[in-house]
Amino acid sequence: MTAPFTADRRKPLPNGFLAQVQALVGDRLHLGESIRLQHGSSETHFDPVLPDAVVFARSTEEVAELVKLCVAAEVPIVAFGAGTSLEGNVTPVRGGISLDLSEMDAILEINAEDFDCTVQAGVRREQLNEHLRDQGLFFPIDPGANATIGGMASTRASGTNAVRYGTMREAVLSLRVVMPDGRIVRTARRARKSAAGYDLTRLIIGAEGTLGIVTEITLRLHGIPEAISAAVCPFDTLKGAVDTVVQAIQLGVPIARIEILDDMQMKACNAYSKLDYAEQTTLLFEFHGSERSVAEQVETLSALSSANGGGEFRWSNLPEERSRLWKARHMAYYAALGLRPGSIGWTTDVCVPISRLAECIGETKADLEGASMPATIVGHVGDGNFHVVFAIDPASPHEMAEVEAINHRLVARALAMDGTCTGEHGIGLGKRDALVDELGDAVDLMRTIKRALDPKNLFNPDKIFVLE
Amino acid sequence: MTAPFTADRRKPLPNGFLAQVQALVGDRLHLGESIRLQHGSSETHFDPVLPDAVVFARSTEEVAELVKLCVAAEVPIVAFGAGTSLEGNVTPVRGGISLDLSEMDAILEINAEDFDCTVQAGVRREQLNEHLRDQGLFFPIDPGANATIGGMASTRASGTNAVRYGTMREAVLSLRVVMPDGRIVRTARRARKSAAGYDLTRLIIGAEGTLGIVTEITLRLHGIPEAISAAVCPFDTLKGAVDTVVQAIQLGVPIARIEILDDMQMKACNAYSKLDYAEQTTLLFEFHGSERSVAEQVETLSALSSANGGGEFRWSNLPEERSRLWKARHMAYYAALGLRPGSIGWTTDVCVPISRLAECIGETKADLEGASMPATIVGHVGDGNFHVVFAIDPASPHEMAEVEAINHRLVARALAMDGTCTGEHGIGLGKRDALVDELGDAVDLMRTIKRALDPKNLFNPDKIFVLE
């Protein structure tokens, strides 16, 4: 598998450091190999790298004290949420402390009238939505995994709802952050907008824990829509599917979700979940709004789909039937791996201007035809963002190299279309070279900011870029 | 008027510097007093401070060369657009060059299918919308003034449409920026979302030219809606008006604009434009969508207004009649100054969570009752953002001090409600102390970033905070 680090950069912990940490957190300091392995492993293809210790934090103040100890002893510290990131974003490549925030899972405040709430970083997406349901509110960002809100902020997560509700960039009003000097700052107030100074909130969102450790997040919420409908429609051609989406957006239809699944993915879903979808490029839709608005949206999309070579447009507003229609999407990742028992996943993502999406997916599918392993495509088509999931043999260095080459070509293709090397997974370890290809000198500015805020390079070192 | 600078910080230009600049830009270097006064003046109450010279730039590359000359000679450089900012944001308090970007007014690229365009920094909002109209597209951010897009990005502008379409934070996809070392960087690609590294785009938006000079902007656009309606409704009470808005948002009604004008403002508008509005707290609405959706929105808001003590709900979908209904809003600033011939304006803004808005405006109105000068309130009520416009006697230091004290209490009130000291005007010179009250230690982080990126403190010095 990919060797993500330079082993000689790992330094032994200074004498007495662990005793100091233990004095601070007691039995929430863990040194056992299995828990360290769990915090050093990735859900995808990255080699595990064990932290020296795992600490479960209980409060922002405790995190700040721990950071001060780490800085004094020059020990790296990597914040860890649910461990669901996909580009090795939390692998502690220089060892040190893996700081697990999952026990900081309190929902601190809900302001229903203001459509906002404040939560600790370890709160999970599904937990939050269950808690909000009774108040008629929901938090729309849905990256698939039941990630922590802190992790989602740190990777600038988005997912299926982004076409209507935006990404974590738009969803976060304010953060409480422990900085590399141990100071606790709040980046903004609870107002829905502000022109007060530099946008520290957005600087920390997507910084993957390299500039600060997010401990509390104030989020924008939305009212649960009066009506929800789902629909599914197969298409003769990729272009027909993408054109349907472009036209819908041009008409200003406020679709909540539009997902594209390619023929391979539909085949995988049928096999995995014993379904009978047409094994063609397929669009899945979800519509939110008033009864009248949702009915109008369904009508418009049904007509557009039909005009663009769509097959049967199946839709429903009944919760159970909606789930059935979307089942292919929910199971997509495991269904893809199911194409090859024993495989592990390598999943990558790019995002391009929507006018180039059909071309980008088309060329990528052509490239995948020669691949040794099964690969499927799933995308958030309203944003121009799509994923390729490779089911690779974990024992084969040859396959790793092959996927690396395909991924490199995919990123180059997206950049040539003025797209980005990652729409939502982040840079982590896997896309560091791609970031330089994408932004050139701007990466130096990132390095300058990192050096200014974390001069000892202790906060999640070697992620996004290597400093020295 | 307010003395915004420390005079002894102004250094004479080094010998030979102006000759170098002239070699670069020829007769686009201006030293005449009237043009320097124009670039050193503010639309509001700030004392003018003249730059040593005004330069009209024609290209990003030229800006980069000029920046290199300034850095070598340690001459301050302040980017200037339309000069419509309200907190002294472009006053060159340490002299140096006022860099006028208004001649960089080319619309470089429109990608209709992607709903984006790229423009030079000097393009004005109205110019852009006129250009886009034929393609069925529009750029929604509307701060009132016909500002430049570069200036709007630099102050994180928003305005009447923000409740539905967001602010410049959401509207900008990517920036081309000249950094203080003379490097030209592009902060992002044209994809609608990205998780690629630090969000440099958002860092530069709202930095008021202190970290980089924006020369090109890639913007998200929207389709001109199929139907537009406007409406106006007076209310017995402030609370009734605000409750109407909160309930509409709770119901998920996608209102495009909701403005609140207080009784004083309505009185001013009637007098200024010979109108016959009820002189009560009034809401102005604009609805965008399909014919059916707009009709539904009008119906919902009419019912909600009536249930909350609203008077006659007048609405129209005819362009001319819509303009008439909104006339009070478009003339608000000049109407407020018209309450007192010969006065100049001091306009401030705060933004609070919407649940506190009625209380915040109510307490502010009570505070204004004792004021020596006329003052009106106008607000973007869907965002919790409102302005107070004071019509002050320019010759009276006493009135300046009085408004300063009222403004200080207003900011303290907004902060106590977890709001921000500015929703859209920015910090400039006028809100530097307020920023510290609002964010405390976080302002130190801003200073750290500024020092790292602009170590000689030459880019719009003394704005947002004083560095040393």
Side-chain angles (χ1 to χ4, degrees):
Chain A
M1 291 195 271
T2 310
F5 67 103
T6 321
D8 58 16
R9 288 195 164 166
R10 184 167 183 140
K11 292 186 209 153
L13 296 181
N15 286 334
F17 172 74
L18 288 175
Q20 289 177 315
V21 174
Q22 190 156 39
L24 180 68
V25 302
D27 63 2
R28 288 178 283 114
L29 167 65
H30 296 267
L31 302 172
E33 185 156 343
S34 73
I35 199 166
R36 287 162 57 216
L37 180 61
Q38 183 212 329
H39 285 77
S41 299
S42 152
E43 286 218 342
T44 52
H45 60 285
F46 294 93
D47 267 343
V49 183
L50 272 56
D52 293 297
V54 175
V55 170
F56 287 80
R58 290 268 171 88
S59 72
T60 301
E61 292 67 26
E62 195 175 75
V63 172
E65 290 310 308
L66 181 66
V67 163
K68 286 177 194 164
L69 293 179
C70 286
V71 171
E74 304 201 354
V75 172
I77 183 163
V78 180
F80 184 99
T84 53
S85 64
L86 299 169
E87 290 289 355
N89 314 61
V90 295
T91 306
V93 288
R94 297 196 189 199
I97 300 288
S98 177
L99 175 67
D100 191 312
L101 297 162
S102 63
E103 293 185 2
M104 286 180 63
D105 62 351
I107 295 168
L108 300 171
E109 190 178 293
I110 295 176
N111 301 293
E113 213 176 8
D114 294 319
F115 299 87
D116 71 46
C117 69
T118 299
V119 303
Q120 286 186 312
V123 166
R124 295 203 183 210
R125 183 176 69 75
E126 292 177 3
Q127 170 197 354
L128 177 60
N129 274 323
E130 273 161 37
H131 189 94
L132 292 171
R133 195 172 301 139
D134 288 348
Q135 306 195 42
L137 296 169
F138 82 115
F139 170 64
I141 317 293
D142 175 4
N146 189 16
T148 62
I149 303 297
M152 288 170 63
S154 294
T155 50
R156 204 180 296 129
S158 48
T160 53
N161 272 317
V163 62
R164 169 144 173 185
Y165 297 97
T167 73
M168 286 303 277
R169 190 173 75 191
E170 286 79 34
V172 174
L173 287 172
S174 169
L175 297 169
R176 202 164 175 223
V177 187
V178 177
M179 299 304 297
D181 59 4
R183 274 196 292 192
I184 299 167
V185 301
R186 194 173 165 208
T187 57
R189 296 297 187 107
R190 207 157 59 74
R192 283 164 77 101
K193 66 181 196 184
S194 174
Y198 301 167
D199 192 344
L200 298 175
T201 310
R202 253 49 60 180
L203 181 64
I204 298 293
I205 293 171
E208 303 187 13
T210 63
L211 297 179
I213 295 173
V214 174
T215 62
E216 290 178 19
I217 305 100
T218 299
L219 295 168
R220 282 182 74 154
L221 303 173
H222 294 262
I224 294 176
E226 181 190 327
I228 302 178
S229 281
V232 58
C233 185
F235 283 80
D236 290 341
T237 62
L238 177 65
K239 188 173 178 309
V242 174
D243 284 351
T244 300
V245 174
V246 171
Q247 291 161 16
I249 291 176
Q250 253 153 354
L251 289 172
V253 184
I255 311 183
R257 311 188 200 228
I258 330 171
E259 296 286 297
I260 196 166
L261 286 74
D262 77 347
D263 51 347
M264 276 297 285
Q265 183 64 58
M266 295 311 291
K267 201 168 153 174
C269 291
N270 279 346
Y272 189 76
S273 306
K274 314 262 177 289
L275 299 168
D276 62 346
Y277 289 107
E279 293 180 358
Q280 284 176 270
T281 304
T282 300
L283 289 182
L284 278 73
F285 305 92
E286 196 170 277
F287 307 102
H288 294 176
S290 66
E291 297 282 359
R292 227 193 291 184
S293 157
V294 165
E296 189 181 9
Q297 293 178 52
V298 168
E299 199 178 289
T300 306
L301 264 296
S302 172
L304 288 177
S305 298
S306 167
N308 285 295
E312 190 194 359
F313 188 91
R314 287 193 283 166
W315 71 276
S316 175
N317 50 19
L318 303 173
E320 207 168 299
E321 178 69 5
R322 272 167 24 213
S323 297
R324 206 182 60 75
L325 292 176
W326 270 69
K327 191 161 184 184
R329 181 63 187 93
H330 295 137
M331 290 289 124
Y333 182 68
Y334 297 103
L337 299 190
L339 287 171
R340 190 181 191 186
S343 64
I344 60 164
W346 174 323
T347 170
T348 183
D349 87 305
V350 295
C351 187
V352 296
I354 197 170
S355 65
R356 309 299 297 271
L357 184 64
E359 190 184 351
C360 194
I361 294 182
E363 289 178 16
T364 303
K365 280 188 73 67
D367 197 12
L368 293 175
E369 269 167 28
S372 321
M373 73 292 295
T376 67
I377 291 180
V378 178
H380 311 312
V381 68
D383 298 314
N385 182 205
F386 70 93
H387 307 264
V388 185
V389 180
F390 300 92
I392 56 178
D393 173 357
S396 164
H398 168 80
E399 288 197 7
M400 291 294 287
E402 188 183 339
V403 173
E404 217 162 87
I406 295 172
N407 191 30
H408 186 79
R409 290 194 295 272
L410 172 62
V411 167
R413 188 176 304 126
L415 296 185
M417 296 177 180
D418 214 358
T420 177
C421 68
T422 172
E424 57 185 20
H425 294 176
I427 300 296
L429 297 168
K431 291 261 172 86
R432 294 179 298 191
D433 292 342
L435 180 66
V436 176
D437 293 342
E438 178 171 336
L439 293 179
D441 273 0
V443 182
D444 275 347
L445 296 184
M446 297 181 198
R447 286 199 179 90
T448 301
I449 293 166
K450 167 76 171 171
R451 276 193 203 100
L453 295 179
D454 181 19
K456 291 183 172 177
N457 192 21
L458 298 173
F459 271 39
N460 203 9
D462 300 340
K463 302 306 161 55
I464 305 179
F465 45 72
V466 175
L467 208 54
E468 81 278 353
Chain B
M1 290 194 270
T2 310
F5 68 104
T6 322
D8 58 15
R9 289 196 162 162
R10 184 167 183 140
K11 292 186 208 151
L13 295 182
N15 286 333
F17 172 74
L18 288 175
Q20 290 178 316
V21 174
Q22 190 157 36
L24 180 67
V25 301
D27 63 2
R28 288 179 282 114
L29 167 66
H30 295 267
L31 303 172
E33 185 155 342
S34 73
I35 199 166
R36 287 162 56 217
L37 180 62
Q38 183 212 328
H39 286 77
S41 300
S42 153
E43 287 219 341
T44 52
H45 60 287
F46 294 93
D47 266 345
V49 184
L50 272 56
D52 293 297
V54 175
V55 170
F56 286 80
R58 289 267 170 90
S59 72
T60 301
E61 290 68 26
E62 193 175 76
V63 172
E65 289 311 308
L66 181 67
V67 163
K68 286 177 195 163
L69 293 180
C70 286
V71 170
E74 304 202 356
V75 172
I77 182 163
V78 180
F80 185 99
T84 54
S85 64
L86 298 168
E87 289 290 356
N89 313 60
V90 295
T91 306
V93 289
R94 298 195 189 200
I97 300 288
S98 177
L99 175 66
D100 191 312
L101 297 162
S102 63
E103 293 184 4
M104 286 181 62
D105 63 351
I107 295 169
L108 300 171
E109 189 179 294
I110 294 177
N111 301 292
E113 212 176 9
D114 295 320
F115 299 88
D116 71 47
C117 69
T118 299
V119 303
Q120 285 187 312
V123 166
R124 296 208 183 205
R125 182 175 70 73
E126 292 176 4
Q127 171 196 356
L128 177 60
N129 274 322
E130 274 160 37
H131 189 94
L132 292 171
R133 196 173 300 140
D134 288 347
Q135 307 195 38
L137 296 169
F138 82 114
F139 170 63
I141 316 293
D142 175 4
N146 189 15
T148 62
I149 304 297
M152 288 171 63
S154 294
T155 50
R156 203 181 298 129
S158 47
T160 53
N161 272 318
V163 61
R164 169 145 173 186
Y165 297 97
T167 73
M168 286 302 278
R169 191 173 74 194
E170 287 79 33
V172 174
L173 288 172
S174 171
L175 297 169
R176 200 161 176 228
V177 187
V178 177
M179 299 303 298
D181 60 4
R183 273 196 292 192
I184 299 167
V185 301
R186 192 173 166 208
T187 58
R189 296 297 188 107
R190 209 158 56 75
R192 283 165 77 100
K193 66 182 197 185
S194 173
Y198 302 167
D199 193 344
L200 299 175
T201 310
R202 252 49 59 180
L203 181 64
I204 298 294
I205 294 171
E208 302 187 13
T210 64
L211 297 179
I213 295 172
V214 174
T215 61
E216 289 178 18
I217 305 102
T218 300
L219 295 167
R220 282 182 74 153
L221 303 173
H222 294 262
I224 294 176
E226 180 191 327
I228 302 179
S229 281
V232 58
C233 185
F235 283 80
D236 291 339
T237 64
L238 177 65
K239 189 175 178 307
V242 174
D243 284 352
T244 301
V245 174
V246 171
Q247 290 160 17
I249 292 176
Q250 253 154 354
L251 289 172
V253 184
I255 311 182
R257 310 187 200 229
I258 331 171
E259 297 285 297
I260 196 166
L261 286 74
D262 78 345
D263 50 348
M264 276 297 285
Q265 182 66 58
M266 296 310 292
K267 202 168 152 174
C269 292
N270 279 346
Y272 188 77
S273 307
K274 315 262 178 288
L275 299 167
D276 62 344
Y277 289 108
E279 292 180 358
Q280 285 176 270
T281 304
T282 299
L283 289 182
L284 278 72
F285 305 91
E286 196 171 277
F287 307 102
H288 295 178
S290 66
E291 298 283 0
R292 226 195 292 185
S293 158
V294 165
E296 190 181 11
Q297 292 178 53
V298 169
E299 199 177 289
T300 305
L301 264 294
S302 172
L304 288 176
S305 297
S306 167
N308 285 296
E312 190 195 357
F313 188 91
R314 286 193 283 166
W315 70 276
S316 175
N317 49 19
L318 303 172
E320 207 168 299
E321 177 69 4
R322 273 169 21 214
S323 297
R324 207 182 58 76
L325 292 175
W326 270 70
K327 191 161 183 185
R329 180 63 187 94
H330 294 136
M331 291 289 125
Y333 183 67
Y334 298 103
L337 300 189
L339 287 170
R340 190 182 191 185
S343 64
I344 60 163
W346 174 325
T347 170
T348 183
D349 87 305
V350 296
C351 186
V352 296
I354 196 171
S355 64
R356 310 299 297 272
L357 184 63
E359 191 183 351
C360 195
I361 294 181
E363 289 179 15
T364 303
K365 280 188 73 66
D367 198 11
L368 293 176
E369 268 166 29
S372 320
M373 72 292 295
T376 67
I377 290 178
V378 179
H380 311 311
V381 66
D383 299 314
N385 183 205
F386 70 93
H387 308 264
V388 185
V389 181
F390 300 92
I392 56 178
D393 173 358
S396 164
H398 169 77
E399 287 197 7
M400 290 294 287
E402 188 184 338
V403 173
E404 215 162 89
I406 295 173
N407 192 29
H408 186 79
R409 291 195 293 274
L410 171 62
V411 167
R413 188 177 303 126
L415 297 185
M417 296 177 179
D418 213 359
T420 177
C421 68
T422 172
E424 57 185 21
H425 294 175
I427 299 298
L429 297 168
K431 291 262 173 87
R432 293 178 298 191
D433 293 342
L435 180 66
V436 176
D437 293 342
E438 178 172 336
L439 294 179
D441 274 0
V443 182
D444 275 347
L445 296 184
M446 297 180 197
R447 286 198 179 90
T448 302
I449 293 166
K450 168 76 171 170
R451 276 193 203 99
L453 295 179
D454 180 19
K456 291 183 172 177
N457 192 23
L458 299 173
F459 270 40
N460 204 8
D462 300 340
K463 303 305 162 55
I464 305 180
F465 44 73
V466 175
L467 207 55
E468 80 278 354

